[in-house]
Structure formats: structure tokens, C-alpha cells
Amino acid sequence: MAKQQVAGQESLGEAMNRTEFFLEKHGRTMSYVILALFVLAALGFGYRALIVAPRAEKAAALISEAQNRFDSETPDYELALLGDANGAGFLDVIARYGSTPSGNLAKHYAGICYLHMGDLENAAATLAKFSPVKGIPGQIINAQNFGLQGDVAVELQDYAKAVKLFRKAVNASDNNLTAPMYLYKAALAEQALGNAPQAAELLERILASYPMSMEAREAEKALGRVN
């Protein structure tokens, strides 16, 4: 059992390193789409257009400064997080416009910055402050947020919590791109806990529901180790 558990932990680490941050390069586009939808919705509600929409627009302009650092070819995550005299950081957006859509997204990106910087405690706390948003682009970010929290839990060897978070990631956006990735991570976390039946069930779900996914082949191999 100990040998099987160690193997599961090693595979889980590989899964984390291989795929988790692939959505970041699309984060800026999705953020702008979500913010635009919120601003348009606010404009349709009388007095709210006088307060909510202007704040949302100012926050969107501010977060773009941090995102430029985050999305650059050579990202400076500390600078994106803290900002400087030349531009705001995600923490500035949270402090000034935390209740706006941009402020909410800033919590998500700030958590990613902390994770890249190796600050797991602040990464977990900040990612958890993000409130799920509606719409298809929002679902993808919601799933990524739960998945990142799951990755932090794995780093902290809290595999039971990781399983719950990876399952939430699947439920947040059940699609062919992200769902099999998080199902696979949940299965490996279950394997690390020594829960072979639960791990097998998740791996079989990947093969049944997402047979063409990148994870399907890995799931088939992992299923052979579990059974």
C-alpha cells in the first residue's frame, strides 16, 4: 500500500506540473469579456448605472495594468501582484475595487501570483476569496480557481481537501478540455489517500465520458495500477 501511495503522489505531481497553468494565457481575454458583460448589465438598471458601471469601468482600467505584467512574455508575478509607480498591481485593485467584477478577478490572479512565488498560504487564502461568476468564460475561470486551490492542497499534502476541490472544478465547467484534467487529478489524489475504488471510479469516468482527451491514455495506465 505504501509503495502504491508513493507512486500516486509522484504521478499527481507530474499532472500538476504538466497542465495547470495552460489557461493563464487566455485569462486576459476572458477577463475583459466578463467585465464587459457586467458593465452592460449594470447599464440596464437605472441608478446602478450611475454608481456600479463607472466603478466597474475604473476597476477594469486598473486591472489591465497588472494584467500587462502578468501576461507578458516574461511575466513578473511579484510586480503584477504588488504594482509600482508605473502601474497598479492586483492587490491595489482588490483594495480599491474589491466589490467589482475586476476586484473579484484580481483575487483569482493574485492567488496565481502568490502560487508562482511559492507563497502557498497566501495563495490558498486569496484564491478562496474569489466568487464564482456566471457565463461560459466565467465557468472556465471558476474551474481553474477550484483546480488551483486543489493544487495548493496537494502541495500541502491535504489530499482529502484536494479531492473535494478537484471535483468542484469538474462540476464548475464540465467540458472536454478541463473536466478530464481535474478528474485525473482527483483520481490521483484518491490514490494517494489509498482509496483505490474511488480512484478507479474517477479514472473510468474519464475513459467513458472523455475518451479523446489527453488524460484518457494516462487514465487507462493509471487504472491498471489501481486495479
Side-chain angles (χ1 to χ4, degrees):
M1 179 67 71
K3 183 177 180 181
Q4 180 180 9
Q5 183 171 343
V6 171
Q9 291 175 10
E10 291 173 347
S11 298
L12 184 53
E14 292 171 1
M16 289 171 59
N17 292 333
R18 187 177 73 245
T19 54
E20 183 51 53
F21 294 105
F22 78 98
L23 289 173
E24 290 178 19
K25 62 181 180 180
H26 304 298
R28 186 176 185 181
T29 299
M30 288 189 292
S31 299
Y32 288 153
V33 170
I34 294 169
L35 293 172
L37 291 174
F38 270 91
V39 171
L40 288 174
L43 289 172
F45 290 94
Y47 80 94
R48 292 183 63 192
L50 301 176
I51 300 175
V52 177
R55 279 179 56 81
E57 291 173 349
K58 291 178 181 178
L62 197 65
I63 198 175
S64 68
E65 299 173 1
Q67 285 179 309
N68 285 335
R69 277 80 175 267
F70 185 93
D71 294 323
S72 69
E73 293 184 2
T74 55
D76 188 331
Y77 295 108
E78 184 174 5
L79 188 59
L81 179 70
L82 302 175
D84 61 10
N86 296 317
F90 291 120
L91 293 183
D92 296 318
V93 182
I94 295 170
R96 296 175 61 180
Y97 299 103
S99 61
T100 67
S102 286
N104 188 37
L105 287 172
K107 296 168 187 174
H108 175 69
Y109 287 113
I112 296 175
C113 290
Y114 278 126
L115 190 54
H116 276 290
M117 294 162 59
D119 188 342
L120 297 181
E121 183 177 350
N122 275 319
T126 309
L127 287 167
K129 292 178 182 178
F130 172 78
S131 298
V133 294
K134 297 179 180 179
I136 294 176
Q139 290 175 8
I140 297 295
I141 294 180
N142 296 342
Q144 187 192 29
N145 184 271
F146 286 127
L148 287 167
Q149 290 187 63
D151 283 348
V152 174
V154 168
E155 291 286 352
L156 298 174
Q157 298 186 358
D158 189 345
Y159 299 112
K161 183 177 181 180
V163 168
K164 294 179 181 178
L165 288 164
F166 290 140
R167 286 180 178 273
K168 284 185 177 182
V170 174
N171 293 333
S173 185
D174 190 355
N175 61 72
N176 292 321
L177 184 62
T178 63
M181 176 176 70
Y182 295 125
L183 282 171
Y184 184 61
K185 291 185 178 186
L188 294 178
E190 289 281 22
Q191 188 178 0
L193 287 167
N195 298 333
Q198 292 87 337
E201 180 182 356
L202 292 166
L203 294 170
E204 289 169 353
R205 181 176 168 185
I206 295 173
L207 294 173
S209 301
Y210 313 99
M212 303 304 294
S213 67
M214 292 176 57
E215 286 70 27
R217 185 168 62 178
E218 296 299 324
E220 189 171 8
K221 291 189 293 186
L223 190 59
R225 294 193 298 268
V226 171
N227 292 330

